[in-house]
Amino acid sequence: MIASPHLLSPLQLGDLTLKNRLVLAPLTRARAGEERLPNALMAEYYRQRASAGLLISEATVVSPQGIGWPNTPGIYSDAQTEGWQQVTAAVHQEDTPMILQLWHCGRASHSYFQADHQPPVAPSAIAINGDGVHTPEGKLPHEVPRALEIGEIPQIVEDYRRGAERAKAAGFDGVEVHGANGYLIDEFLQSKTNQRSDRYGGTLANRFRFLQEILEAVLTVWPAQRVGVRLSPNGVFNDMGSPDYRETFSYVAQQLDGYGLAYLHVMDGLAFGFHDLGESMTLAEFRSQFTGPLMGNCGYTQETAEAAIVAGHADLIAFGRPYISNPDLAERFAQGWTLTEGDMATWYGGGAEGYTSYPAYTPA
């Protein structure tokens, strides 16, 4: 009998057939170089992990303004689009679909990355309280961001639409809108970071509007069954966590439910930090608010992933850190093979070491 029969069972996700319910979570690995160009090393990394049912790319910036990490890839130039083509081709040779995650760092960026060393942008001029931003010059202190003018917002929405268009040209099977982890969309959603008094701030509907406009722009390019959204209702990363988090994310889930999306990707696990502002929001809670496919993420083990699917709380589970050092994670789960521990020192940046150098399991 197969270990974890539900986790390892196929799933029909819209018009995509997944061989199992394991998903490679989006993981910043910073191997795209200063030009932010996807490359052959990245193609091999994703190909190695293509026994997952679905791959989600690392967060990929939709514009130069969205940049906030060294050596992360983009999807705003012809060269980047062509670079991604070799990645999707390698993954598709393994009969696995792959989705591109669209990203804008918002206030989690730094003037180091911005044109003319301008401050990063955000819904409101509220700085991150934290230990700094990773740059090629080391960690630099967080800065007070510049609040976006209302007239600038349509251009950012258009950047997402163009990113979605380029993702299609690059051969991806869909896109995920990154609305989590304290980046720009999450900053608009949450009352802690959004203190605007215009149509993008204040009420739940106003704070949702930015995500709504981006999503509806993306849906002019992709059918809804090829678009996912990621949320982090429990997260503290990038100094997030709002007192009205439950009300906010319940509202967001209910609004998203009307679109017929491919999935809602919820970072429900607490392994990435918890804001401790009340009880954590669970997949079971989201199940009552979102009727489409639900993806859980963050700190899952083989056992807890299987249990979440058996209970009906999740349809898919995304694994991040275990996939870094176990490219054949699905096979290891199926065979009961032990997992390899990864070296955190090689997570971000560098070359093949700690990236494509982890071998598949070899039975003794």
Side-chain angles (χ1 to χ4, degrees):
M1 180 178 162
I2 291 179
S4 310
H6 297 83
L7 179 62
L8 293 165
S9 68
L11 176 69
Q12 193 64 35
L13 194 68
D15 60 350
L16 295 174
T17 302
L18 310 190
K19 60 190 107 167
N20 57 55
R21 294 157 187 257
L22 274 78
V23 178
L24 172 67
L27 291 162
T28 295
R29 303 303 310 278
R31 258 70 175 192
E34 286 182 26
E35 297 298 308
R36 305 187 180 275
L37 291 174
N39 50 56
L41 182 65
M42 290 168 59
E44 174 61 12
Y45 168 80
Y46 284 108
R47 186 202 64 77
Q48 288 176 350
R49 286 152 184 80
S51 60
L54 177 68
L55 305 188
I56 306 175
S57 81
E58 61 214 275
T60 301
V61 286
V62 296
S63 67
Q65 184 196 64
I67 294 168
W69 273 80
N71 304 319
T72 53
I75 190 70
Y76 53 83
S77 74
D78 291 346
Q80 289 164 344
T81 306
E82 287 168 21
W84 277 119
Q85 286 170 355
Q86 64 186 309
V87 177
T88 59
V91 170
H92 288 155
Q93 282 179 353
E94 309 294 329
D95 282 333
T96 305
M98 185 170 181
I99 279 175
L100 180 80
Q101 191 189 60
L102 301 170
W103 188 34
H104 188 305
C105 286
R107 71 172 188 164
S109 182
H110 190 276
S111 59
Y112 177 92
F113 297 109
Q114 298 296 315
D116 301 321
H117 298 292
Q118 293 294 305
V121 298
S124 302
I126 302 167
I128 291 175
N129 180 22
D131 62 352
V133 180
H134 292 279
T135 77
E137 294 180 358
K139 268 198 174 179
L140 298 177
H142 288 289
E143 301 165 316
V144 177
R146 177 177 67 78
L148 283 161
E149 299 285 339
I150 198 164
E152 295 178 280
I153 290 175
Q155 180 57 55
I156 296 176
V157 173
E158 172 63 7
D159 291 338
Y160 275 90
R161 191 198 66 77
R162 300 246 348 195
E165 215 167 52
R166 288 185 177 279
K168 187 173 269 192
F172 285 96
D173 299 286
V175 293
E176 177 177 288
V177 177
H178 191 355
N181 293 348
Y183 298 114
L184 187 61
I185 292 172
D186 196 22
E187 293 162 21
F188 269 90
L189 291 175
Q190 295 209 43
S191 59
K192 179 175 185 177
T193 40
N194 183 344
Q195 317 244 312
R196 299 176 75 95
S197 56
D198 59 18
R199 61 196 297 266
Y200 292 95
T203 66
L204 288 168
N206 281 357
R207 284 188 274 126
F208 175 67
R209 193 185 310 277
F210 183 62
L211 170 55
Q212 181 179 24
E213 290 180 357
I214 287 168
L215 181 59
E216 291 178 358
V218 166
L219 291 173
T220 66
V221 179
W222 289 95
Q225 63 179 356
R226 296 297 190 93
V227 177
V229 173
R230 191 186 209 203
L231 303 174
S232 55
N234 302 317
V236 73
F237 187 72
N238 279 325
D239 188 29
M240 297 306 285
S242 305
D244 58 349
Y245 68 100
R246 179 162 263 107
E247 182 189 11
T248 296
F249 287 100
S250 295
Y251 177 86
V252 172
Q254 290 160 19
Q255 295 304 306
L256 293 176
D257 193 40
Y259 288 96
L261 298 176
Y263 60 81
L264 179 60
H265 181 178
V266 181
M267 294 184 70
D268 60 304
L270 308 183
F272 208 48
F274 177 38
H275 52 55
D276 272 324
L277 294 170
E279 291 294 314
S280 64
M281 293 187 76
T282 63
L283 288 182
E285 193 171 343
F286 279 96
R287 188 60 102 187
S288 69
Q289 299 157 346
F290 184 84
T291 57
L294 264 183
M295 184 187 301
N297 175 229
C298 198
Y300 277 90
T301 64
Q302 180 176 357
E303 293 72 27
T304 59
E306 175 76 3
I309 292 171
V310 169
H313 298 154
D315 301 283
L316 308 115
I317 298 293
F319 291 87
R321 294 176 184 184
Y323 256 122
I324 291 176
S325 49
N326 299 278
D328 56 338
L329 190 65
E331 292 88 341
R332 293 188 191 224
F333 282 178
Q335 301 297 332
W337 293 334
T338 55
L339 300 189
T340 299
E341 283 293 316
D343 177 11
M344 197 171 172
T346 59
W347 281 5
Y348 304 114
E353 185 60 35
Y355 187 58
T356 55
S357 62
Y358 288 104
Y361 188 86
T362 308

